[in-house]
Amino acid sequence: MKFNKKLESIKTYEAGKPIELVVREFGIDPKDIIKLASNENPYGCSPKGIKSVSKIVANMALYPDDSMTKLKNGLQSRFEVEENNIIIGSGSDQVIEFIMHAKANANSKILMNSVTFAMYEIYAKHIGAVVIRTTSQKHDLNEFYELYKTEKPDIIFLCTPNNPTGDAIDRDEMMAFIQKINKDTLVVIDGAYMEYTIYKNKAKSVTPKELIKKYDNVIYLGTFSKAYGLGGMRVGYGIADSKIIKELYKLRPPFNITTLSLEAASIALEDEEFVNNCISLNFDEMKRYEEYAKKKKIDIIESYTNFVTLCLNETQNSTNLANHLLKRGMIIRDLSGYGMNAIRVTVGTPEQNSRFFELTSELL
């Protein structure tokens, strides 16, 4: 059987190894497995959300409200934007897919950082577009601008804070960069972890309102999978000028978000106390990773997210370390696939983090 030739150059996205697979492969009791690979909220999701969703479980036989009015109203209130500035996706990944098909084609060039979220490239290759990457691991906006001038991309992806490294772009530098970009080039600001950045350093944060107020060629992406603890519900969103949103809606399938997911996300927005507490605990625990890295003489990238990236030295190997931990029931992310001798570790609960330090000390 023959398939589309475009698929030949696409590598399947590798998600964090699920707990169930580790149970089957190594025979470890599920209660003894710790997953710190997918940047999920270790404290779960809002108890109010769980209670609210449980009340409407019986509605699973019915199609969801395709207007998504309740969730959109919540996002309108949170970000001070209009309903026609918002599109909801099955995770922000789906919005990225909409963006790619709406703006680019086989003759397009897509500009992104050398190390960044893998789905940008995968979706670009779906349509046969050419991917242009910077050489710098960190978002060097000077290099981005030079590549923009020579390559003339249709879409620019700026992931801030960046996944999988955790560093963030300075807000003023970002705004100055966007100001120089032609209005026909779409700039995507992926703020999947922005809630953490806002808490840690407002100079590194940006809001959808200020972006779309100044620029009609920018779309901001957000998600409920990280700070809100709803990774299993798959809800993301894009906020942009109404003309952009109108075009993206032409690609959105009906009922792309479930009834339960819409309810969970709507309530999560209302429970600010829960989210803020989780973020505070995250950065308290992150200090322990910074101290551990210093003690072990390992480079750690300053993180504005709920994970840390530890860069190993020449005598250490990220794949070996990740496999060692896996056999002991701890799942982390090996970044060798990104060309880095590094591991990405979700900042877990105090107990989970202590276990990480214990197990890695056996090799480091």
Side-chain angles (χ1 to χ4, degrees), residues 66 68 88 94 98 248-257:
D66 202 43
M68 307 182 194
I88 309 297
Q94 188 178 46
F98 296 160
L248 298 186
Y249 252 91
K250 295 176 182 178
L251 295 161
R252 187 188 73 89
F255 311 115
N256 63 320
I257 307 297

Side-chain angles (χ1 to χ4, degrees), residues 13 111-121 131-134 136-137 139 144 157-165 167 190 335 337-338 340 344:
Y13 179 79
L111 177 58
M112 64 191 71
N113 204 53
S114 64
V115 177
T116 195
F117 186 42
M119 290 308 300
Y120 305 151
E121 178 172 357
V131 173
I132 307 297
R133 290 184 181 271
T134 62
S136 174
Q137 178 181 296
H139 276 76
F144 262 89
F157 282 98
L158 297 178
C159 186
T160 182
N162 191 33
N163 180 15
T165 54
D167 54 307
D190 190 342
L335 298 184
Y338 288 85
M340 299 175 66
R344 189 191 70 188

Side-chain angles (χ1 to χ4, degrees), residues 31-209:
K31 66 179 176 55
D32 294 327
I33 296 175
I34 297 173
K35 185 183 179 187
L36 299 178
S38 300
N39 307 333
E40 296 145 328
N41 188 332
Y43 303 101
C45 60
S46 166
K48 295 179 181 179
I50 295 173
K51 183 178 181 180
S52 184
V53 168
S54 67
K55 292 179 180 179
I56 63 168
V57 168
N59 294 340
M60 287 192 294
L62 305 176
Y63 282 112
D65 172 14
D66 202 43
S67 71
M68 307 182 194
T69 299
K70 184 176 181 179
L71 179 54
K72 285 184 177 179
N73 285 344
L75 290 168
Q76 280 181 257
S77 177
R78 171 60 56 85
F79 295 117
E80 299 179 301
V81 295
E82 300 300 322
E83 183 177 348
N84 60 9
N85 295 132
I86 303 169
I87 186 168
I88 309 297
S90 179
S92 55
D93 309 53
Q94 188 178 46
V95 183
I96 295 169
E97 185 177 17
F98 296 160
I99 290 168
M100 199 65 67
H101 286 275
K103 178 59 180 167
N105 55 53
N107 298 316
S108 297
K109 293 179 180 178
I110 314 298
L111 177 58
M112 64 191 71
N113 204 53
S114 64
V115 177
T116 195
F117 186 42
M119 290 308 300
Y120 305 151
E121 178 172 357
I122 290 175
Y123 283 132
K125 288 186 173 181
H126 280 187
I127 59 173
V130 175
V131 173
I132 307 297
R133 290 184 181 271
T134 62
T135 59
S136 174
Q137 178 181 296
K138 190 174 182 179
H139 276 76
D140 182 344
L141 294 186
N142 289 326
E143 184 181 6
F144 262 89
Y145 186 60
E146 291 304 313
L147 287 171
Y148 160 75
K149 290 191 297 182
T150 57
E151 301 293 344
K152 297 178 174 55
D154 281 322
I155 303 175
I156 299 173
F157 282 98
L158 297 178
C159 186
T160 182
N162 191 33
N163 180 15
T165 54
D167 54 307
I169 303 171
D170 182 83
R171 176 195 171 279
D172 291 342
E173 290 181 11
M174 184 198 307
M175 301 296 268
F177 170 79
I178 298 172
Q179 187 67 40
K180 297 186 290 185
I181 303 302
N182 185 284
K183 297 300 181 182
D184 196 46
T185 298
L186 181 61
V187 181
V188 182
I189 306 299
D190 190 342
Y193 299 88
M194 191 60 70
E195 289 84 3
Y196 296 95
T197 308
I198 291 172
Y199 181 93
K200 182 174 181 177
N201 186 346
K202 286 185 169 54
K204 297 278 188 179
S205 66
V206 67
T207 65
K209 178 183 177 181

